[in-house]
Amino acid sequence: MRRNVSALSHIRALPKGSARVKRFLSGKKYIPFTYKMLVPYLVLVLLTDIAVGYISFTMLVQSRTEMAETNIRTALEQTRNNIVYQMDEIKRMSNSLFLNTNFQNALQFRGDIVENMLKMRDDIVPYMKSPLQLYGNKLRLVLYPVNDSMLEIPGDDMTQPIGRSDYYVLSYRNIEHAEWFRSIASLNQDNIWIQIETDRELGNLSYFRKLVNSSGAPSVIGYVRVTARFDELLGNFDTFPIERGIALRLLDKATGTSVYERGEASGDARDGSYLLLTEDIPGSNFVIETRVPRSYLSQDASRMQRVIETVCLISFLVMAFIGYLVARLSGKKMKRIVTLVQSFQEGNFHKRIGFTGNDEFVFIADAFNRMARSIQELIRNVYEQGIHKKQAELDALQAQISPHFLYNTLSTIGSLANLGEADKVTQMVHGLSRFYRLTLNEGQVDISLDKEVEQVKTYLDIQRVKYADAFRVYYDIDPDILHIPVIKLILQPFVENIFKHAWFGESIAIRLTGKRLGDRIELKVIDNGIGMRPDTLRAMRSGSPDPTGYGLRNVEERIKLRYGNDYGIRIGSHYGAGTTVQLILPIDNAEIREDKGA
């Protein structure tokens, strides 16, 4: 079970591709998918708010414009009705004089001054004062009798604005030669509305008609002129806010001239900057014209625009906040899923994720969990098979080393026994026993470097029985690396090859060195033997089968099986000058931690 757990931890350290993927992902700016979806959502909300705001603004402006136009039309109709009513009242006033026979007879009376005075007091003035008292507005009622014997009654100064209702009796001679009168007489006009004398300057309008004798042969007995103020004829101007650009005019259709104006309208109504409204006054040549600026019709547009913009902005912020909350809640779940995926990339299949509810995230989490369990089980099975296979190969290679040494040692012991060298036989048997005790190492694959050196020394002690003092051994190993675990029997085969293949002459020197190189250690086995020819060295480096390179290939394969292809053996040799074998091993390794239970 310990091996299974450590195997999974070893798997996490192996895949360099996962680390590269992680670095690649960490190098890119990570934007959660939910926030990416938030962007088009906010764009859609913004476009919707803009569309709704624009439509609302357009409809409100149109509604306000129609309402303002309706109000102006209503006010214009009221003004028309008011002036028609006022004009009708004035006509009825004149009719009361025109149809009054006593009034007609009084106008034709001729007597002395006293009689005429009494006639005017009793039959003319009362009929003139009576309608003025009944009429609510201020009028000037002027009578122009043709009868020369009639006395004149002057009233207020007619060149001044009408301040009160007043009546006048003036001689026909006052208008007989006036241009406006002759124009009326030449056209035989009667019952007309006209501006005469100071009416235009004072803002007045006069109603002029003949008085005809209804008894006997028809004849003109006088003229009546009723003058009224335009502002009283038109009524209240509060519905026409002149100060806001609205212009009101009374036009004479016959001449096309304006007889009265209130307000100023700059520009031409045909350019679309004004709304032109007109109302004809029945029974006259006058028409009321109103010019309403478009800006007045849409006077509340700016305020409504600000209100709608504020409402749309609040709506957008509320919808954005809701979208952010939804994205944040969904993003947390997505982040947990991404974290799980990254753990898978790193080789960690122990993590699980659990969501509550019944949505897509729950199904994704369940699928991930099932996949993780399946992958974890698959890796455990496959990796255990690989570990077992690798261990079997390693054990097989390990087993190949001992027999050769055992055969050679037993052969030497046999020779010494035949020669009767009992003491040497005993020494070699004890040395062989100690050597194999270190080799077995309680079944462990790894051995500390100092134990490996001790095993080499034991082997050399065995060889020393055979060769006495014919070889010298030197040790130069850094004490700081003696505790580092290495696989066993990686130095002895090379020392053994020195006695088999490198020795020539009467003696040989052997040197063992060891030092730390960063996160690695370097071990060397150096001799001053005969060395190897270049072709033999090339054959060994290329892996060609060679009995002299058996131990080399064996150790090389074990190192690579145990530590990986980054570690192994290098050989340097000069024929006649000796050989150096360099071993590069890791200081820390997952396989070593596994066997140590770390």
Side-chain angles (χ1 to χ4, degrees):
M1 183 63 184
R2 181 183 59 79
R3 180 173 292 276
N4 292 341
V5 175
S6 60
L8 291 177
S9 64
H10 180 59
I11 268 291
R12 291 196 294 270
L14 285 179
K16 297 181 180 178
S18 297
R20 287 194 294 270
V21 171
K22 184 176 181 181
R23 287 195 299 270
F24 172 75
L25 291 176
S26 62
K28 298 178 66 177
K29 188 174 182 180
Y30 174 72
I31 301 178
F33 175 76
T34 50
Y35 290 108
K36 291 181 180 179
M37 293 301 297
L38 183 61
V39 173
Y41 165 77
L42 292 179
V43 172
L44 179 61
V45 171
L46 181 60
L47 293 178
T48 303
D49 282 347
I50 292 175
V52 172
Y54 176 77
I55 294 173
S56 301
F57 175 74
T58 303
M59 294 179 65
L60 283 174
V61 170
Q62 183 178 0
S63 175
R64 296 288 296 180
T65 301
E66 292 175 354
M67 184 181 300
E69 182 178 345
T70 301
N71 293 336
I72 295 297
R73 288 187 183 276
T74 302
L76 191 61
E77 290 176 1
Q78 291 176 350
T79 302
R80 180 203 62 188
N81 294 337
N82 185 73
I83 194 173
V84 169
Y85 172 77
Q86 300 287 345
M87 294 173 73
D88 288 343
E89 286 294 312
I90 291 174
K91 286 180 181 180
R92 281 193 294 270
M93 183 185 302
S94 67
N95 288 338
S96 68
L97 299 178
F98 182 83
L99 299 176
N100 191 327
T101 56
N102 291 331
F103 185 76
Q104 293 179 12
N105 292 333
L107 288 180
Q108 299 177 67
F109 178 78
R110 292 178 179 271
D112 57 26
I113 295 177
V114 175
E115 291 175 339
N116 287 337
M117 184 181 299
L118 294 174
K119 196 68 173 177
M120 290 186 66
R121 186 192 68 181
D122 297 332
D123 296 328
I124 294 179
V125 171
Y127 289 115
M128 293 181 68
K129 292 177 64 176
S130 178
L132 291 177
Q133 293 173 351
L134 296 176
Y135 191 77
N137 294 330
K138 303 176 183 64
L139 297 176
R140 282 176 177 167
L141 177 58
V142 184
L143 176 63
Y144 296 101
V146 177
N147 185 359
D148 295 336
S149 64
M150 297 297 298
L151 299 177
E152 291 189 355
I153 302 176
D156 295 335
D157 187 0
M158 298 184 68
T159 61
Q160 299 298 319
I162 301 176
R164 64 187 181 91
S165 294
D166 197 10
Y167 62 94
Y168 303 77
V169 178
L170 302 177
S171 174
Y172 165 72
R173 307 296 179 188
N174 293 329
I175 62 171
E176 180 181 12
H177 301 290
E179 183 178 350
W180 61 269
F181 178 76
R182 282 195 277 181
S183 174
I184 293 174
S186 64
L187 296 175
N188 195 25
Q189 293 177 329
D190 192 21
N191 296 320
I192 64 173
W193 291 91
I194 189 172
Q195 281 187 312
I196 55 180
E197 296 178 350
T198 60
D199 285 348
R200 181 177 294 275
E201 290 80 4
L202 299 178
N204 298 335
L205 182 65
S206 296
Y207 177 71
F208 192 82
R209 71 173 300 176
K210 299 176 184 177
L211 293 178
V212 180
N213 181 19
S214 59
S215 60
S219 62
V220 176
I221 60 176
Y223 297 90
V224 173
R225 171 186 172 187
V226 182
T227 303
R229 290 165 44 174
F230 269 118
D231 54 356
E232 293 186 343
L233 286 176
L234 295 174
N236 191 359
F237 287 95
D238 293 341
T239 53
F240 298 97
I242 304 301
E243 67 280 358
R244 304 188 66 172
I246 295 180
L248 183 69
R249 297 197 302 175
L250 187 66
L251 299 177
D252 187 347
K253 292 187 292 184
T255 61
T257 59
S258 173
V259 296
Y260 180 75
E261 290 187 7
R262 285 292 300 272
E264 295 183 1
S266 59
D268 193 346
R270 291 174 296 181
D271 62 3
S273 59
Y274 287 90
L275 173 65
L276 185 64
L277 303 176
T278 59
E279 286 286 345
D280 291 332
I281 299 177
S284 71
N285 290 328
F286 296 118
V287 59
I288 303 175
E289 179 186 271
T290 303
R291 291 189 181 188
V292 185
R294 296 291 179 181
S295 58
Y296 173 81
L297 296 177
S298 58
Q299 56 185 331
D300 295 332
S302 298
R303 184 173 61 86
M304 289 187 294
Q305 181 178 3
R306 290 193 296 270
V307 172
I308 291 175
E309 288 176 351
T310 302
V311 172
C312 291
L313 177 61
I314 294 174
S315 172
F316 175 77
L317 293 177
V318 171
M319 296 301 294
F321 180 70
I322 294 174
Y324 172 75
L325 291 181
V326 173
R328 185 175 178 83
L329 293 176
S330 301
K332 287 183 177 179
K333 293 185 176 181
M334 291 295 293
K335 185 176 181 180
R336 292 176 65 182
I337 294 175
V338 170
T339 302
L340 182 64
V341 173
Q342 289 178 343
S343 298
F344 286 1
Q345 291 176 340
E346 295 170 358
N348 186 353
F349 300 98
H350 296 284
K351 292 184 178 180
R352 299 292 183 268
I353 187 170
F355 292 142
T356 58
N358 187 21
D359 54 16
E360 292 83 354
F361 291 105
V362 176
F363 290 107
I364 292 174
D366 291 342
F368 265 114
N369 293 338
R370 289 195 298 270
M371 181 180 67
R373 286 191 293 267
S374 299
I375 293 176
Q376 188 176 8
E377 186 65 27
L378 180 61
I379 288 178
R380 180 182 291 110
N381 295 336
V382 172
Y383 191 70
E384 283 183 356
Q385 293 176 4
I387 289 293
H388 293 157
K389 181 179 179 182
K390 177 180 175 182
Q391 188 62 42
E393 294 176 355
L394 191 59
D395 292 342
L397 291 172
Q398 190 79 37
Q400 292 174 3
I401 293 293
S402 298
H404 290 278
F405 169 67
L406 179 60
Y407 298 154
N408 294 335
T409 304
L410 291 177
S411 177
T412 302
I413 291 174
S415 300
L416 292 174
N418 290 332
L419 295 175
E421 299 285 347
D423 292 337
K424 292 183 178 181
V425 170
T426 301
Q427 291 178 15
M428 292 192 71
V429 170
H430 286 302
L432 183 64
S433 174
R434 188 167 65 254
F435 177 84
Y436 273 97
R437 185 173 65 252
L438 294 171
T439 301
L440 293 175
N441 194 28
E442 298 179 352
Q444 297 296 322
V445 177
D446 296 312
I447 188 173
S448 61
L449 182 57
D450 59 344
K451 294 291 185 181
E452 179 70 12
V453 174
E454 183 181 351
Q455 192 174 38
V456 172
K457 290 180 180 179
T458 302
Y459 171 76
L460 291 173
D461 288 342
I462 296 173
Q463 296 301 324
R464 205 176 298 279
V465 174
K466 180 178 179 181
Y467 296 101
D469 295 327
F471 62 89
R472 295 182 306 277
V473 182
Y474 304 95
Y475 299 95
D476 184 14
I477 299 176
D478 188 350
D480 293 337
I481 66 173
L482 290 176
H483 68 284
I484 294 175
V486 296
I487 56 174
K488 57 189 177 183
L489 289 176
I490 57 173
L491 295 177
Q492 184 272 337
F494 299 109
V495 176
E496 183 177 353
N497 278 340
I498 293 174
F499 288 95
K500 285 183 178 182
H501 307 292
W503 197 332
F504 78 101
E506 295 181 357
S507 64
I508 193 169
I510 303 172
R511 185 183 179 192
L512 275 70
T513 67
K515 62 180 178 178
R516 180 169 184 162
L517 299 176
D519 59 349
R520 303 182 178 191
I521 59 174
E522 177 194 61
L523 302 177
K524 289 184 179 180
V525 179
I526 307 170
D527 68 76
N528 60 351
I530 192 172
M532 290 181 282
R533 297 181 183 277
D535 54 347
T536 304
L537 183 60
R538 283 195 298 271
M540 290 182 64
R541 288 174 175 171
S542 64
S544 301
D546 186 353
T548 63
Y550 172 77
L552 168 67
R553 292 195 304 275
N554 185 290
V555 175
E556 176 83 6
E557 291 177 7
R558 286 193 292 131
I559 289 175
K560 292 190 178 300
L561 277 174
R562 187 64 165 170
Y563 304 124
N565 293 328
D566 293 337
Y567 306 96
I569 298 172
R570 297 177 184 174
I571 298 178
S573 181
H574 294 279
Y575 187 68
T579 302
T580 298
V581 179
Q582 180 192 45
L583 293 87
I584 302 296
L585 304 175
I587 292 178
D588 187 21
N589 183 264
E591 293 282 358
I592 298 174
R593 294 196 303 270
E594 175 188 347
D595 287 340
K596 293 174 68 176

